[in-house]
């Protein structure tokens, strides 16, 4: 036997094993192209080169014998640069004929190029010629959606779904005429500078690659391959059903166990259920509703778990912000718990002491969840968000036969327990139905109250209502267009006590990150499966979740307690407001991202810190202060943020510091002009200690 390490992981091997065998034994993925396990290794492609300590040159892992004491690295910058250059040389001699190739989709070279996003070095034919330097066809500014108009076939589906036919947002529409006709944003602005709510319906209907979700799967796959970090993944309720369609299974097939097993094969250390946090969301949101009812304040309460809806309110109706529940979405709750609660401390001393944190990934049916993961006040709790489609690409990239996997996979504890109420979060009306089940209990209502509220179910677009004994009349807006129509009249203020809004018709089941389908009944089939899981669940009310009760008993105290608010609640602001810029700046400070903070300032901006640092003049000096003079940030349970004292005050710039003291800020704003557009930045920031 020989003992060696691969990326810091110790492995035992038999004599005669190769470095590629060692990498596999360590759970580390090394890309190969010319290697086949049943044939002699020739190391012709050189893609599998690795570095061995003491050897001046990289060695081909496929045929280099492992030696006792070897220290092997597989993912250094030099190796990745060589693989990229090697692949570019291969592509220079390879025909650009993938679309008609018989092995399209299973070609290993094609898979490597896609997985690593290596550049293709052959001449390109531009589909649409730019008429001026101002014409931009590639737009990666949005955290959720990427655009590449060079791939557009001008079918018009994106303009239809964003316009009157479905979402009624009109962010994308057609410009020009004849041969120059193409889908554009207003004034050709980047998506990040429009009123796009990141719902991703345009990516769902685009038949080509002109509109796609911002891809995170490459980074996630490479992080899992290296096995340097403890990795955690959470899975949304809609994903475990829709993922089946990506692998040829019947629509509506529940693949929870198969999905768990696939995630384990991909290399995730912990596989958790987002539904655990959905039950937690209901405990918080239900308690919040009752507290507002008792105080007769900010009613009706709007649900806040749909980030597309939250984006719409912040962009278009900031006057509604006090009505939004401050409860985080299940995704963000689960991320916060995974990184900053007892689970993180249980991973070891370095995690408990704030020296490191787990790598947290979520699998969601929604593109707006990518946007949500970057919101000030909660950014960093979820490192990367994968859509259902992206996860399918990862599974295919690793050659996992999803349909052949067993259905015996089980979520890990303690963040994997859930109830049927959490499962129906995936369908339009499910959040409200789940909240009704628990709110009635928390209020001391009759235990015989029905569990199934058919009036709140269904995938038809529009508004659904029901009157709940002891609670009042509630409403469900199925689609952002339905919400817009309801809000045009003021009757909603007095008619309802609570309102659920999902930006996508059908709810998460119809989310922008779900598999593309031409089946007109696909939402009904997915919904049937969702409610079927609920109907057969052992527990169907969120308060029956034993692990949620333990979390309250051990760490949070009670729903809506100060501890719960610190971990599980959030804050809002009108976009492009002073409060918005302040929240973004403080988020940069908390994360010690000086470069991002400097971009929020005018180059000659001033920051009066009201501290020993004094007055800082100039964006570069502000960046330097954050980078080099502030104490290094802590991670995990030790990580603390600034927070706004008011959850939704439009003009309230009072802040609670990580130490618990209070201060107030004053901002002078200025405009920067460039490229035909203007940008609001901070000219002067003054901090006053209270």
């Amino acid at each position: 036997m020989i003992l060696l390490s691969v990326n810091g992981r110790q492995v035992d091997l038999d004599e005669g094993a190769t470095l590629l065998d060692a990498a596999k034994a360590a759970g580390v993925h090394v890309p190969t192209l010319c290697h086949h396990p049943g044939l002699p290794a020739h190391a012709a492609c050189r893609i599998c080169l690795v570095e061995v300590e003491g050897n001046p040159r990289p060695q081909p892992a496929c045929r280099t014998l492992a030696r006792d004491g070897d220290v092997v690295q597989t993912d250094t910058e030099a190796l990745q640069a060589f693989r990229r250059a090697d692949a570019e040389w291969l592509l220079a001699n390879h025909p650009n004929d993938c679309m008609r190739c018989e092995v399209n989709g299973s070609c290993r070279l094609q898979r490597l190029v896609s997985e690593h996003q290596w550049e293709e070095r052959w001449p390109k034919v531009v589909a649409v010629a730019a008429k001026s330097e101002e014409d931009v066809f590639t737009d990666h500014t949005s955290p959720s959606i990427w655009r590449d108009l060079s791939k557009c076939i001008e079918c018009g589906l994106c303009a239809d779904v964003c316009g009157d036919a479905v979402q009624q947002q009109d962010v994308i529409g057609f410009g020009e005429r004849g041969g120059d006709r193409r889908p554009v944003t207003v004034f050709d602005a980047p998506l990040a500078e429009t009123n796009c709510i990141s719902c991703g319906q345009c990516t769902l209907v685009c038949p080509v690659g002109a509109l796609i979700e911002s891809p995170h799967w490459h980074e996630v796959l490479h992080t899992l391959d290296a096995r340097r970090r403890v990795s955690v993944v959470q899975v949304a309720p809609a994903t475990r059903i829709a993922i089946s369609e990506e692998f040829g299974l019947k629509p509506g097939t529940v693949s929870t166990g198969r999905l768990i097993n696939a995630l384990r094969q991909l290399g995730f250390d912990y596989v958790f259920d987002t539904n655990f946090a959905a039950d937690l969301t209901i405990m918080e949101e239900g308690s919040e509703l009752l507290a507002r009812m008792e105080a007769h304040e900010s009613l009706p309460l709007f649900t806040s778990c749909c980030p597309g809806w939250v984006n719409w309110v912040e962009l278009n109706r900031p006057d509604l912000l006090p009505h939004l529940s401050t409860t985080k979405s299940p995704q963000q709750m689960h991320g916060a718990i995974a990184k900053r609660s007892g689970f993180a401390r249980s991973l070891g001393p370095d995690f408990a002491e704030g020296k490191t944190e787990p790598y947290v990934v979520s699998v969601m049916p929604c593109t707006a969840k990518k946007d949500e993961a970057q919101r000030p006040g909660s950014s960093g709790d979820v490192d990367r968000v994968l859509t259902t489609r992206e996860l399918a690409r990862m599974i295919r990239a690793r050659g996992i036969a999803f349909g052949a996997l067993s259905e015996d996979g089980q979520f890990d504890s303690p963040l994997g327990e859930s109830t049927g109420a959490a499962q129906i979060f995936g369908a339009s009306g499910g959040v409200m139905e789940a909240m009704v089940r628990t709110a009635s209990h928390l209020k001391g209502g009759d235990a015989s109250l029905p569990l199934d509220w058919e009036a709140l179910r269904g995938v038809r677009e529009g508004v659904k209502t029901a009157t709940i004994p002891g609670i009042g009349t509630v409403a469900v807006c199925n689609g952002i267009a339905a919400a817009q129509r309801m809000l045009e009249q003021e009757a909603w203020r007095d008619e309802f006590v609570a309102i659920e809004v999902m930006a996508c018709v059908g709810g998460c089941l119809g989310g922008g990150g779900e598999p593309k389908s031409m089946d007109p009944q696909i939402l009904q089939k997915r919904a049937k499966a969702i409610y079927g899981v609920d109907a057969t669940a052992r527990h169907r009310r969120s308060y029956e979740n034993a692990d949620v009760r333990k979390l309250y008993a051990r760490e949070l105290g009670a729903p809506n307690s100060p501890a719960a608010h610190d971990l599980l609640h959030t804050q809002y602001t009108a976009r492009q407001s002073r409060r918005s810029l302040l929240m973004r700046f403080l988020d940069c400070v908390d994360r010690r991202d000086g470069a991002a903070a400097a971009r929020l300032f005018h180059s000659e901006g001033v920051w009066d810190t009201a501290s020993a640092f004094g007055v800082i003049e100039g964006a570069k000096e502000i960046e330097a202060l954050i980078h080099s003079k502030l104490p290094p940030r802590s991670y995990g349970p030790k990580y603390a943020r600034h927070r706004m004292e008011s959850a939704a005050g439009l003009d309230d710039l009072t802040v609670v510091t990580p130490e618990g003291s209070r201060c107030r800020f004053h901002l002078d704003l200025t405009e920067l002009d460039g490229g035909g557009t203007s940008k609001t930045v901070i000219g002067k920031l003054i901090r006053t200690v209270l």
Side-chain angles (χ1 to χ4, degrees):
M1 296 290 290
I2 56 177
L3 177 66
L4 68 155
S5 72
V6 181
N7 291 352
R9 300 175 69 90
Q10 300 293 317
V11 291
D12 290 309
L13 295 169
D14 293 330
E15 293 285 348
T18 65
L19 294 181
L20 187 59
D21 296 326
K24 291 178 179 178
V28 172
H29 176 74
V30 174
T32 64
L33 192 59
C34 67
H35 172 72
H36 189 285
L39 300 171
H42 298 290
C45 72
R46 318 301 283 182
I47 290 291
C48 69
L49 290 185
V50 297
E51 293 180 359
V52 182
E53 188 172 282
N55 198 316
R57 296 181 178 180
Q59 301 297 306
C62 65
R63 75 172 187 181
T64 303
L65 295 179
R67 300 173 302 175
D68 192 65
D70 276 347
V71 177
V72 182
Q73 304 289 333
T74 70
D75 63 340
T76 66
E77 290 187 10
L79 287 173
Q80 294 183 48
F82 176 84
R83 288 171 186 153
R84 181 168 57 251
D86 192 17
E88 289 168 358
W89 182 86
L90 290 171
L91 292 172
N93 294 276
H94 194 80
N96 185 6
D97 200 26
C98 294
M99 188 174 290
R100 294 184 297 172
C101 180
E102 288 295 325
V103 296
N104 181 31
S106 59
C107 169
R108 292 169 70 182
L109 175 58
Q110 182 188 39
R111 185 182 303 159
L112 280 171
V113 171
S114 174
E115 178 179 327
H116 293 275
Q117 296 293 278
W118 285 326
E119 185 176 358
E120 301 175 9
R121 293 296 183 90
W122 54 73
K124 297 293 182 183
V125 177
V126 180
V128 183
K131 296 190 299 181
S132 68
E133 293 183 0
E134 285 74 30
D135 279 340
V136 178
F137 296 108
T138 303
D139 175 13
H140 294 173
T141 60
S142 166
S144 298
I145 298 168
W146 281 11
R147 301 164 69 222
D148 184 353
L149 294 184
S150 68
K151 298 178 182 178
C152 178
I153 61 173
E154 301 168 21
C155 66
L157 294 177
C158 59
D160 285 343
V161 76
C162 189
D164 291 341
V166 183
Q167 296 296 76
Q168 298 181 12
Q169 298 306 294
D170 297 312
V171 173
I172 297 175
F174 270 101
E176 306 297 341
R177 295 181 179 179
D180 294 326
R181 182 174 181 264
R182 57 189 173 90
V184 296
T185 60
V186 178
F187 300 119
D188 273 337
L191 273 181
E193 297 177 15
T194 69
N195 277 6
C196 175
I197 63 173
S198 297
C199 70
Q201 290 298 304
C202 56
T203 72
L204 191 61
V205 300
C206 180
V208 289
L211 287 156
I212 64 170
E213 65 270 62
S214 174
H216 290 178
W217 71 276
H218 311 284
E219 179 196 308
V220 173
L221 199 57
H222 299 159
T223 301
L224 294 177
D225 288 346
R227 298 299 295 273
R228 293 183 181 275
R229 298 184 65 181
V230 172
S231 56
V232 172
V233 64
Q234 53 165 303
V235 183
T239 298
R240 68 202 65 187
I241 292 169
I243 190 71
S244 306
E245 300 161 29
E246 288 281 352
F247 298 96
L249 299 176
K250 183 180 178 181
T253 299
V254 179
S255 290
T256 306
R258 276 185 288 266
L259 180 56
I260 294 170
N261 286 330
L263 291 167
R264 296 199 193 284
Q265 288 194 28
L266 285 170
F268 283 103
D269 295 308
Y270 294 91
V271 182
F272 289 136
D273 194 350
T274 306
N275 285 353
F276 170 86
D279 280 331
L280 198 57
T281 297
I282 288 303
M283 295 298 292
E284 292 296 316
E285 200 165 65
S287 299
E288 183 182 3
L289 171 62
L290 296 181
R292 293 193 186 193
M293 290 173 62
E294 184 176 349
H296 301 286
E297 292 180 353
S298 301
L299 291 174
L301 176 142
F302 282 100
T303 60
S304 58
C305 60
C306 172
W309 156 242
V310 173
N311 287 341
W312 186 89
V313 174
E314 290 187 330
L315 285 163
N316 300 288
R317 290 290 301 272
D319 60 297
L320 300 180
L321 292 176
H323 290 273
L324 278 179
S325 167
T326 62
T327 302
K328 289 180 179 178
S329 73
Q331 170 184 270
Q332 294 306 123
M333 271 197 187
H334 207 295
I337 296 167
K339 287 200 173 187
R340 298 196 282 130
S341 75
F343 167 75
R345 290 190 290 271
S346 73
L347 296 176
D350 284 351
F351 294 89
E353 295 168 11
K355 297 178 181 178
T356 189
E357 63 184 2
Y359 182 71
V360 175
V361 177
S362 68
V363 183
M364 295 285 141
C366 173
T367 54
K369 289 294 180 182
K370 295 174 182 282
D371 180 317
E372 181 184 56
Q374 298 183 27
R375 288 182 62 86
S378 61
S379 63
D381 286 345
V382 176
D383 291 290
R384 283 291 179 245
V385 177
L386 303 174
T387 63
T388 310
R389 297 193 298 264
E390 285 182 278
L391 178 60
R393 292 173 201 146
M394 286 179 64
I395 293 172
R396 293 192 187 98
R398 287 294 167 264
I400 298 172
F402 185 85
L405 294 176
S406 169
E407 259 292 290
D408 63 356
Q410 298 291 322
F411 288 113
D412 290 313
S413 293
L415 309 183
E417 177 70 22
S418 65
T419 69
Q423 180 63 32
I424 60 176
F425 259 62
S428 169
V431 175
M432 184 59 69
E433 186 172 345
M435 184 163 64
V436 163
R437 294 178 186 179
T438 287
S440 177
H441 165 78
L442 294 175
K443 196 178 179 183
D446 187 352
S448 65
L449 196 69
L451 286 174
D452 300 326
W453 292 89
E454 296 293 339
L456 300 176
R457 298 182 179 184
V459 298
R460 68 186 187 282
E461 192 264 354
V463 178
K464 300 167 284 188
T465 66
T467 300
I468 314 300
I471 301 294
T473 302
V474 300
V476 170
C477 296
N478 188 11
I480 195 66
Q484 290 178 175
R485 289 194 296 271
M486 182 193 73
L487 293 169
E488 289 174 356
Q489 306 296 325
E490 291 295 300
W492 60 270
R493 295 184 183 274
D494 299 317
E495 188 174 352
F496 306 115
V497 68
I499 301 173
E500 174 199 310
V501 179
M502 290 290 176
C504 299
V505 175
C508 301
L509 294 171
E514 290 283 74
K516 299 182 180 184
S517 177
M518 300 299 286
D519 184 348
Q521 298 297 311
I522 192 63
L523 294 181
Q524 286 86 343
K525 293 174 181 178
R526 293 172 182 171
K528 182 179 180 181
I530 282 276
Y531 287 109
V533 174
D534 170 46
T536 58
R538 184 175 60 169
H539 299 298
R540 300 184 62 194
R541 301 174 178 91
S542 294
Y543 62 85
E544 296 171 341
N545 187 321
D547 283 342
V548 165
R549 293 200 301 268
K550 290 177 184 177
L551 180 64
Y552 279 114
R554 294 172 180 172
E555 299 192 50
L556 301 179
N560 277 334
S561 67
H565 265 268
D566 180 61
L567 198 64
L568 308 179
H569 288 250
T570 189
Q571 51 212 344
Y572 308 107
T573 183
R575 300 291 173 90
Q576 302 306 318
S577 64
R578 282 178 168 79
R579 180 178 164 101
S580 174
L581 282 170
L582 176 61
M583 288 171 64
R584 290 164 60 192
F585 172 71
L586 294 175
D587 183 64
C588 294
V589 171
D590 292 337
R591 294 184 290 106
R592 302 299 190 264
D593 189 345
R599 288 194 292 270
L600 298 175
F601 275 82
H602 188 277
S603 60
E604 299 178 359
V606 175
W607 177 18
D608 185 345
T609 68
S611 71
F613 295 116
V615 178
I616 313 300
E617 299 182 359
K620 290 187 178 296
E621 286 70 24
I622 292 172
E623 177 179 356
L625 168 64
I626 294 172
H627 269 314
S628 60
K629 296 183 179 179
L630 294 182
R633 63 162 287 194
S634 295
Y635 295 90
K638 297 287 187 179
Y639 180 48
R641 294 186 173 99
H642 291 82
R643 62 178 176 84
M644 307 304 293
E645 187 173 61
S646 169
L650 296 179
D651 301 310
D652 190 348
L653 302 184
T654 304
V655 171
V656 180
T657 70
E659 294 77 26
S661 61
R662 297 169 66 247
C663 58
R664 184 172 292 126
F665 288 84
H666 172 79
L667 288 78
D668 288 336
L669 306 184
T670 186
E671 297 291 322
L672 287 181
D673 293 323
T677 61
S678 63
K679 176 184 177 183
T680 302
V681 294
I682 302 171
K684 189 172 186 178
L685 178 65
I686 302 173
R687 176 176 177 263
T688 303
V689 178
L690 300 179

